[in-house]
Amino acid sequence: MASLKLKKRDNGAEPDKKKLVIAGIRHQLLLLLRRRHRLFPLVSAVSGCLLLILFSFSTLSPPPLIHHNNQVAVEPNPTIPFRVPENGGRSDRQLWSSRLSNLYYACSNATDTFQVTDTRSQTNRYLLIATSGGLNQQRTGIIDAVVAAYILNATLVVPKLDQKSYWKDTSNFEDIFDVDWFISHLSKDVKIIKELPKEEQSRISTSLQSMRVPRKCTPSCYLQRVLPILTKKHVVQLSKFDYRLSNALDTELQKLRCRVNYHAVRYTESINRMGQLLVDRMRKKAKHFVALHLRFEPDMLAFSGCYYGGGQKERLELGAMRRRWKTLHAANPEKVRRHGRCPLTPEEIGLMLRGLGFGKEVHLYVASGEVYGGEDTLAPLRALFPNLHTKETLTSKKELAPFANFSSRMAALDFIVCDKSDAFVTNNNGNMARILAGRRRYLGHKVTIRPNAKKLYEIFKNRHNMTWGEFSSKVRRYQTGFMGEPDEMKPGEGEFHENPASCICRTSEARVKEKAKHVNEDDSSEYSEIGNVPISSRSDLDHSQFDEVIF
């Protein structure tokens, strides 16, 4: 008899043992039939029964639950129904604001010990900067460029944006950022000019000194590596300038970083106007809204090395894209996901939000480029949150036309909406997520939800073996410390752009009231406007209480 051919599932599961057993019994019965023709009626009956059983297994039994990481999860227990409710239920925290945000305020002004430009000797040293990456990666380069110029006591030429990266955006600095405001707002900190003086341009036309400093280069590193060349050549360009300045600087330099990031770097009038239009249209739909930085584009998934169950097609497509990054090693998708380094799927994001208490009626703004898998990928999230919007659904093609062909300008629009949302959800620890998390801390600790992916991984995998109550309880427990509350991160923890502790001050009451945050309070979900603006701008508070700085 011809050997039995088995097709291995793409998910790597073993062949169905029931089918193997049935096939073996049937084979033995057929051999017996050849020797004893008189048993034909009996064999026919038994074979018919076995075929009926086989058909029942293939059509009536539920398929095994396949997790999005090439692993077969535990099969659902039919005695434990996992039913997702439409409403968010009673939450154990305020959904739209932090109870303790009014105890903190932004404090990035320079102190008397900081040397302003008027008191520093002027030099004929000019620093050119070539940024790298997408919009928010370049933003970190712009911020650190100002600080590097201050360290070197050099005049900064407005940084060049990266026009050769994956996104191929041809925008210049002044196409995205308000260049005049950038220069004037920082005039007391660093001298900034739009272009080199003509005599310097002619001098470097054939011999521009370009160099790359190490990542996380300290102030002494700049003084040792860059200053001697700058003093000799007068003009130096620092290339691929992203994360080229140490995360740990003294307080005055960190405050300078904050002044650049949160005050000097602002978008052009046209981008701000369109961004505010998107916010206004979301506000017309609901008093509060959630903004989700989905980050489920093909390049992100390829870079992460994760697998989402799309078979050979997914492996080939994302594998080819991943090879563009020469320094990336072969990934172990299961290990990456187990360690919490994979973006959650749209469905998982939706389940997390429902578990935290956000009901079906909540309006959700999705900040994203091309979603891998398109509408099919978004469908489970849309089923959980039907009020799902994007910049494309909120505007007409005509309104969006001036921005549509420029990835950085489109990203800037998403940035504005996410920044002004009542609750912001990140889905990876990328540049935009970190910068917005830090900005929302600085501007009043607005609700910022970072998925605790390492912990959530297990409950997503096994959710069909628990009730909804058990699932949502675990979601809330695992997300404690990942919701944007004050003091979730210790000073110095993470990137400074995500945790600008040197620029956030607290009242003398803060520590006392911080201890009270676990005490049961009235669970009002009313949004507090006063809890989402810097305390320094509130006229009803006694500013003499603001006497302690978080270092």
Side-chain angles (χ1 to χ4, degrees):
M1 182 179 179
S3 61
L4 184 64
K5 296 181 180 179
L6 297 174
K7 293 184 179 179
K8 189 175 182 181
R9 296 180 183 176
D10 178 68
N11 60 19
E14 293 295 324
D16 195 325
K17 292 183 178 180
K18 295 185 182 70
K19 294 182 181 179
L20 287 174
V21 172
I22 292 171
I25 295 172
R26 190 162 182 251
H27 178 58
Q28 294 298 323
L29 289 172
L30 289 173
L31 290 177
L32 182 62
L33 173 63
R34 290 174 183 171
R35 293 196 299 270
R36 299 183 180 265
H37 293 286
R38 65 177 180 274
L39 293 176
F40 179 76
L42 175 62
V43 172
S44 297
V46 172
S47 299
C49 291
L50 291 173
L51 286 172
L52 181 60
I53 293 170
L54 177 62
F55 176 77
S56 298
F57 276 127
S58 63
T59 59
L60 300 179
S61 298
L65 175 65
I66 307 301
H67 197 49
H68 295 299
N69 62 352
N70 206 24
Q71 179 192 40
V72 180
V74 180
E75 291 192 20
N77 186 340
T79 64
I80 305 177
F82 181 80
R83 295 191 180 94
V84 182
E86 289 192 355
N87 61 49
R90 181 176 174 82
S91 175
D92 55 1
R93 70 181 307 280
Q94 293 179 337
L95 293 180
W96 304 110
S97 65
S98 163
R99 291 188 178 115
L100 300 173
S101 61
N102 62 341
L103 299 176
Y104 298 80
Y105 70 106
C107 53
S108 60
N109 288 340
T111 67
D112 294 338
T113 62
F114 185 80
Q115 287 188 309
V116 295
T117 51
D118 291 343
T119 62
R120 305 182 88 194
S121 59
Q122 298 300 307
T123 66
N124 60 343
R125 299 195 288 258
Y126 298 92
L127 185 64
L128 304 179
I129 295 290
T131 60
S132 175
L135 175 64
N136 292 288
Q137 187 172 331
Q138 292 182 89
R139 187 186 185 106
T140 65
I142 294 167
I143 296 162
D144 289 347
V146 175
V147 181
Y150 181 87
I151 292 168
L152 296 166
N153 194 17
T155 297
L156 176 67
V157 180
V158 170
K160 285 184 183 178
L161 299 190
D162 187 353
Q163 299 177 342
K164 298 179 180 179
S165 65
Y166 170 82
W167 295 271
K168 300 291 188 296
D169 191 315
T170 59
S171 300
N172 294 314
F173 188 100
E174 60 271 17
D175 296 321
I176 298 174
F177 302 109
D178 186 336
V179 65
D180 292 324
W181 172 262
F182 178 70
I183 293 171
S184 63
H185 192 79
L186 295 169
S187 60
K188 291 184 178 180
D189 298 315
V190 172
K191 184 178 179 181
I192 304 174
I193 58 177
K194 292 183 179 180
E195 57 183 22
L196 280 173
K198 290 184 178 179
E199 60 271 19
E200 295 295 342
Q201 290 183 26
S202 59
R203 183 190 302 175
I204 67 167
S205 58
T206 57
S207 59
L208 173 61
Q209 179 71 43
S210 183
M211 61 184 295
R212 187 182 301 178
V213 295
R215 285 185 176 271
K216 308 297 184 183
C217 194
T218 62
S220 60
C221 165
Y222 276 89
L223 296 177
Q224 292 169 11
R225 290 173 178 262
V226 183
L227 185 58
I229 300 173
L230 188 58
T231 302
K232 180 180 179 181
K233 299 285 188 179
H234 302 291
V235 180
V236 168
Q237 175 175 277
L238 301 182
S239 62
K240 203 169 177 60
F241 199 78
D242 59 331
Y243 295 99
R244 302 288 167 177
L245 183 61
S246 174
N247 193 52
L249 300 174
D250 69 54
T251 302
E252 289 297 340
L253 293 180
Q254 298 289 47
K255 286 178 177 289
L256 176 56
R257 264 178 165 160
C258 292
R259 291 198 293 279
V260 180
N261 191 6
Y262 307 127
H263 300 284
V265 176
R266 71 182 190 187
Y267 296 118
T268 61
E269 184 180 348
S270 61
I271 291 176
N272 270 324
R273 188 166 53 247
M274 177 55 72
Q276 187 58 49
L277 178 66
L278 292 169
V279 173
D280 292 342
R281 289 179 180 176
M282 286 298 296
R283 292 279 179 224
K284 286 181 180 178
K285 295 179 181 296
K287 182 180 180 182
H288 314 297
F289 72 91
V290 176
L292 163 63
H293 186 216
L294 184 57
R295 207 60 179 100
F296 213 73
E297 295 92 343
D299 66 294
M300 178 61 199
L301 302 189
F303 187 84
S304 70
C306 303
Y307 174 65
Y308 291 91
Q312 191 67 5
K313 180 176 182 290
E314 177 185 323
R315 292 191 180 94
L316 291 174
E317 289 176 349
L318 299 186
M321 190 172 292
R322 184 175 172 83
R323 285 191 288 275
R324 296 176 184 176
W325 289 281
K326 306 296 183 185
T327 57
L328 292 183
H329 54 76
N332 180 335
E334 163 60 17
K335 182 179 179 180
V336 174
R337 184 162 180 100
R338 191 171 63 248
H339 289 180
R341 295 199 296 267
C342 287
L344 303 187
T345 66
E347 180 182 24
E348 290 167 343
I349 287 285
L351 290 171
M352 178 193 72
L353 288 174
R354 184 72 93 251
L356 289 172
F358 293 93
K360 188 175 183 178
E361 76 286 351
V362 168
H363 284 254
L364 186 64
Y365 179 89
V366 177
S368 178
E370 173 198 358
V371 176
Y372 186 69
E375 277 300 316
D376 289 343
T377 301
L378 282 175
L381 176 62
R382 196 183 294 277
L384 289 165
F385 293 94
N387 300 313
L388 190 150
H389 313 279
T390 66
K391 52 187 174 296
E392 289 81 8
T393 63
L394 291 171
T395 60
S396 65
K397 287 186 177 180
K398 182 179 179 181
E399 288 174 315
L400 210 55
F403 313 92
N405 294 325
F406 302 93
S407 62
S408 290
R409 299 179 208 186
M410 294 287 272
L413 297 179
D414 280 338
F415 186 99
I416 292 170
V417 182
C418 291
D419 181 35
K420 297 191 176 183
S421 65
D422 302 295
F424 171 58
V425 185
T426 73
N427 193 22
N428 77 313
N429 200 31
N431 295 295
M432 179 170 166
R434 285 197 293 264
I435 288 178
L436 272 169
R439 182 179 177 86
R440 291 170 71 86
R441 281 190 176 93
Y442 180 82
L443 296 177
H445 289 91
K446 296 191 285 186
V447 176
T448 302
I449 303 170
R450 298 174 295 132
N452 185 358
K454 188 174 182 179
K455 289 284 190 180
L456 294 176
Y457 160 76
E458 288 296 333
I459 61 171
F460 284 140
K461 183 175 67 173
N462 298 303
R463 65 183 182 269
H464 288 282
N465 290 308
M466 63 183 79
T467 64
W468 174 257
E470 293 170 330
F471 176 85
S472 59
S473 176
K474 288 184 177 182
V475 167
R476 292 194 296 272
R477 185 165 74 248
Y478 292 158
Q479 281 301 122
T480 301
F482 292 81
M483 301 294 291
E485 293 286 348
D487 288 351
E488 279 186 352
M489 299 179 74
K490 297 177 182 177
E493 181 182 352
E495 292 288 341
F496 182 76
H497 301 301
E498 180 183 12
N499 183 26
S502 301
C503 304
I504 299 174
C505 299
R506 57 174 131 184
T507 71
S508 57
E509 305 173 59
R511 290 194 176 185
V512 175
K513 292 197 175 182
E514 179 70 15
K515 293 178 183 177
K517 72 178 179 180
H518 298 299
V519 177
N520 292 331
E521 298 176 5
D522 176 42
D523 188 32
S524 170
S525 293
E526 279 298 305
Y527 175 78
S528 172
E529 281 291 338
I530 203 169
N532 285 272
V533 296
I535 291 182
S536 55
S537 67
R538 302 173 197 163
S539 59
D540 59 331
L541 296 177
D542 180 8
H543 288 252
S544 65
Q545 299 178 57
F546 305 151
D547 55 6
E548 185 179 358
V549 179
I550 304 174
F551 291 108

